[in-house]
Amino acid sequence: MCAEQISVFIENKEGRLAEVTAILRDANVNIRALSLADTTDFGVLRLIVNNNEGAKTALKKEGFTVGITQVIAVEVRDEPGGLNNILDPLSENEVNVEYMYAFANPQCKNAIMIFRFDDHDKALKILAEQNIKVINSQEICNL
């Protein structure tokens, strides 16, 4: 049970992030979570949105390079050690976290983290064995 993430490659220059968010606004696409990683010349904007196809179409129309990636959204107990309850069994089973970021949700008492693992199938199996709640794209948009 994976969620879909939009990845947008943007130049690392003034105004480009605002341009992307304006395009999404104008396409009536709601951003639910995001992460921005940059280098000297470009950045990768990772987004969880309520309408992947609408976002992809609108951004490509404006000349942006867009990809869709499978990620795993996990409910993490909002308490000391909550994240380690997720990471420890994955680490013990040699599943690598490629990247992760948080999902802001004031309506949920727990945190939601978005993960990209080197082996999604193995990660999903371990999470299920640990009774850790995995959230799909539709559930994210309904939060």
Side-chain angles (χ1 to χ4, degrees):
M1 178 190 326
C2 291
E4 287 188 331
Q5 165 190 275
I6 296 281
S7 297
V8 185
F9 300 92
I10 58 176
E11 293 173 277
N12 190 3
K13 70 178 196 178
E14 187 177 311
R16 291 299 273 177
L17 181 58
E19 185 179 351
V20 169
T21 59
I23 291 166
L24 295 176
R25 176 201 61 211
D26 294 346
N28 202 32
V29 173
N30 189 25
I31 299 170
R32 303 293 291 152
L34 66 84
S35 170
L36 178 62
D38 71 333
T39 64
T40 303
D41 298 324
F42 72 96
V44 178
L45 177 62
R46 296 180 173 111
L47 303 159
I48 304 294
V49 299
N50 69 328
N51 181 349
N52 286 335
E53 283 307 311
K56 186 176 175 182
T57 299
L59 290 165
K60 282 190 168 200
K61 180 181 175 189
E62 297 299 324
F64 286 91
T65 301
V66 180
I68 295 182
T69 307
Q70 297 297 310
V71 293
I72 298 176
V74 178
E75 189 170 333
V76 180
R77 289 195 315 245
D78 188 14
E79 63 187 29
L83 185 56
N84 280 97
N85 291 333
I86 308 298
L87 297 176
D88 289 344
L90 294 163
S91 177
E92 290 164 7
N93 288 281
E94 300 178 345
V95 175
N96 183 46
V97 176
E98 293 181 357
Y99 58 81
M100 61 184 265
Y101 54 97
F103 168 64
N105 181 17
Q107 299 164 343
C108 183
K109 68 176 186 164
N110 291 322
I112 298 174
M113 301 295 296
I114 308 295
F115 290 92
R116 173 77 179 165
F117 298 108
D118 64 345
D119 187 337
H120 277 260
D121 293 335
K122 189 174 181 182
L124 284 169
K125 181 177 183 243
I126 293 164
L127 294 170
E129 289 169 355
Q130 299 293 317
N131 294 317
I132 295 168
K133 184 175 181 181
V134 175
I135 302 165
N136 67 32
S137 293
Q138 188 60 43
E139 290 174 310
I140 291 171
C141 290
N142 290 333
L143 293 173

